Amino acid sequence: MASETPRSYRPALDGLRAAAVGGVILYHLGYPWLPGGFLGVDLFFVLSGYLITGLLLVEHADRGSISLLRFWARRARRLLPAMLLMIGAVTAAVRWWSPANQWSARRGDLLATLFYYANWHMIGSDQSYFARYAGVSPLRHAWSLAIEEQFYLVWPLITIVLLRWGRRAVIAVPAVGALASCLVMVAVYTPDNPTRAYAGTDARVQQLLIGVLLAVLTRQFAGTRLAGWLDSVAGARLAGWTGPLAAVAVAAFMLTVNDSSGFYYRGGATLVALVVAALIWAVERAPDSPVARLLSLAPLRSVGQVSYGLYLWHWPVIQFVPGHSWMRVALTVALAATSYYLVERPIRRGRPRIVAGTPLRVAMAVPVALAGFAALAIVSTTWATGTRAQQFETMNEAPCGVGRWLCQRVPAPAGHPVIAVYGDSIAMSLDPGFVELAHRHHWGYVLAAQQGCNLTGLVSSVSPQPESRQVTCAKESAGRLRKLVDEYRPTVIFSISSMEWEGFVRADRSYVKSGSAEWAAGIHDGLAGYIRTASRAGARLALAEMPPVAPRFKYCPGATTTCAQPPTAATIATNNIYRQLQEEHPETTLIGTSDILCPARSCPMIINGIVVRYDGAHFTPTGARWFVRRLEPRLIPVVARS
């Protein structure tokens, strides 16, 4: 997200940065009317490729060479101070306020962010960039910064080589690279989890390279017929038409393109980058055009100047700070402005107000700071005692392995019953308790659980724009249940899931909000269909009530047993539907959960000194064992009757 320019200051480019960061923030805040706000990152990538390559070409033209050390030092002064400040704040927030899965889960995130390989870490650890559930990394947004830094490290080296080979190589190599990157994105895209295609350097470098091509065409080809025509009156007229058309196209993309849309991954990303490049060229070529003047307005310029800080801070603020969107935006702006005026700008100019000394001393302090933060992230993972320790205890690995939802966890001795646990991530978090239960009773145990896949067969979503995996869950619902029964022949299927926050999307793509009468009818019919399917499969069904939600740890920093909340209206409504279904289907056993998790009609996070659910919904391993032991007397008769 470069801000240095190869010639005099161009305010319209700061306006483009403002539009880009604004789109990303609104997207992350979850506004459904801007599903394509994530394309702000695409705009940043194209702009970075354009500006960085322009800097390199200008330096080569002026000096006859490119100083890699000088280039990398400028990048370090520009990017590292604010990044280190943000990482330090996130480290402290994870240490004191984060839900329980954090130190063991966040250690890798911290180190990956520090050393700019966050995108590959996210892919390698099977994190979904598009997930919207408790426990999402507060550093998830660092993937794009990692790609840019990887580009800053490698591209200057390639540029030096290409300039020695000649003008044709300077344009041919980025063009071929952009095409190859586009093909990689198409090849690695999978609808169930597009993260590999979205965050992989090889798939996303196409946008940086399209920015490179723009810089090469406008600078390296100066003096050619093409450059002469573009600088002519006809070129200015073309820029005047291109600017508004490209601006409207970018806005249309942001208003319509969905992050799970196959269009984006099958060429749409390349098209967006080309349109953005056309917009950049238009405002550069015609700085007095209406679009350029609009982007040069003082408020947009001011936002653009602090856009790097806004991007750094917005996602941690969204993750850690409860409240209305405007409060989060205001805090993000305050943090970004403070970082810019007290840290970033002074250090970039070599006159830091806080860190005294020469620029050389400041540069020498950077690796020391990196090492210090890395040590802090690693050493702090070992800290935790007593009840406080339990908040950090979560399952760090998928029980069935990465990408698998069905597996046999405990083999059944000959002639003994098999219990299957079926549901979503709530069911998955109960795995440690059911492993112990199966061993105690010599039962077989099969886990059939996948994040975000509830029991209804509906396209469940917290917004009118469902994630691709939610659509897939709905389509595969009946087939998943048949696969479980065909492969493992369970005696009893224990089903549990959470639907508290989610409405659902109809076949006509209209949205039904949670809690409405139509929502209740849809949940009833969906659960009834699940019960019929399970009954036809020949297994006895034990249907657990939806577990009422407890407060999250970050809202209970004291970790006291008095931190509790009553069951929500959505939980009560859903569990009334469960009771109605049991009356309609007496062959189904309803397993109560509210009396276990909500003694005295209030749901605490800590019960009997145990942190039962680190984020208010998902069970810690200790909490899972505690909870399943209390379910045990209710499950034994169901298994015995089967």
Side-chain angles (χ1 to χ4, degrees), residues 132-497:
R132 296 177 177 89
Y133 53 87
V136 167
S137 172
L139 295 169
R140 188 171 71 176
H141 65 317
W143 72 273
S144 63
L145 305 174
I147 290 178
E148 289 205 2
E149 194 64 24
Q150 293 158 21
F151 174 77
Y152 298 153
L153 182 65
V154 174
W155 181 245
L157 296 168
I158 296 175
T159 301
I160 291 173
V161 174
L162 295 181
L163 288 170
R164 291 177 180 174
W165 288 354
R167 180 179 291 176
R168 291 182 179 178
V170 174
I171 193 169
V173 170
V176 172
L179 177 60
S181 177
C182 173
L183 296 176
V184 168
M185 178 175 277
V186 174
V188 301
Y189 166 66
T190 56
D192 288 349
N193 186 2
T195 300
R196 170 64 181 88
Y198 187 80
T201 308
D202 49 358
R204 292 304 291 264
V205 75
Q206 57 176 300
Q207 295 165 326
L208 288 151
L209 292 176
I210 286 172
V212 168
L213 286 169
L214 177 62
V216 170
L217 289 171
T218 55
R219 301 189 188 287
Q220 191 67 5
F221 281 72
T224 64
R225 290 183 178 179
L226 174 62
W229 184 85
L230 291 175
D231 287 336
S232 67
V233 174
R237 189 176 297 115
L238 176 63
W241 280 102
T242 301
L245 292 175
V248 169
V250 170
F253 285 138
M254 286 191 170
L255 289 168
T256 59
V257 176
N258 189 283
D259 56 27
S260 60
S261 168
F263 160 77
Y264 179 77
Y265 301 96
R266 297 185 178 114
T270 309
L271 178 60
V272 170
L274 291 170
V275 171
V276 169
L279 178 58
I280 294 171
W281 172 77
V283 299
E284 287 277 77
R285 176 61 186 83
D288 295 325
S289 65
V291 171
R293 289 201 303 269
L294 176 64
L295 291 171
S296 301
L297 292 175
L300 290 177
R301 293 202 312 268
S302 298
V303 172
Q305 287 171 355
V306 298
S307 59
Y308 177 57
L310 290 171
Y311 186 84
L312 282 178
W313 289 103
H314 84 281
W315 183 247
V317 167
I318 289 172
Q319 288 299 295
F320 287 116
V321 179
H324 296 291
S325 295
W326 69 266
M327 296 171 58
R328 292 168 165 174
V329 171
L331 180 57
T332 299
V333 171
L335 290 169
T338 301
S339 171
Y340 180 76
Y341 288 107
L342 295 184
V343 179
E344 297 174 55
R345 192 167 69 168
I347 290 178
R348 193 167 63 215
R349 294 178 176 179
R351 297 190 299 274
R353 300 176 186 176
I354 299 174
V355 182
T358 65
L360 177 60
R361 291 177 181 173
V362 174
M364 291 173 63
V366 168
V368 176
L370 281 169
F373 276 103
L376 176 63
I378 295 170
V379 171
S380 295
T381 62
T382 63
W383 173 88
T385 57
T387 300
R388 178 81 182 184
Q390 293 176 32
Q391 68 169 299
F392 301 125
E393 186 194 18
T394 58
M395 289 166 39
N396 295 320
E397 297 180 1
C400 292
V402 175
R404 296 182 61 205
W405 64 274
L406 176 63
C407 65
Q408 184 181 65
R409 298 286 286 144
V410 179
H416 285 246
V418 175
I419 186 168
V421 175
Y422 186 91
D424 56 12
S425 56
I426 306 297
M428 193 183 303
S429 70
L430 287 173
D431 179 72
F434 276 95
V435 167
E436 286 193 356
L437 176 68
H439 283 302
R440 278 197 301 273
H441 293 278
H442 305 288
W443 295 345
Y445 159 47
V446 175
L447 178 63
Q450 189 164 359
Q451 174 198 315
C453 293
N454 64 39
L455 312 177
T456 63
L458 299 170
V459 181
S460 300
S461 176
V462 295
S463 75
Q465 299 291 336
E467 300 174 21
S468 59
R469 62 181 176 82
Q470 293 168 323
V471 177
T472 302
C473 281
K475 290 180 179 177
E476 297 179 352
S477 179
R480 283 159 47 85
L481 188 58
R482 284 195 296 270
K483 182 177 177 64
L484 163 64
V485 173
D486 291 345
E487 290 194 17
Y488 294 103
R489 301 293 177 184
T491 311
V492 171
I493 300 176
F494 174 79
S495 305
I496 187 168
S497 73

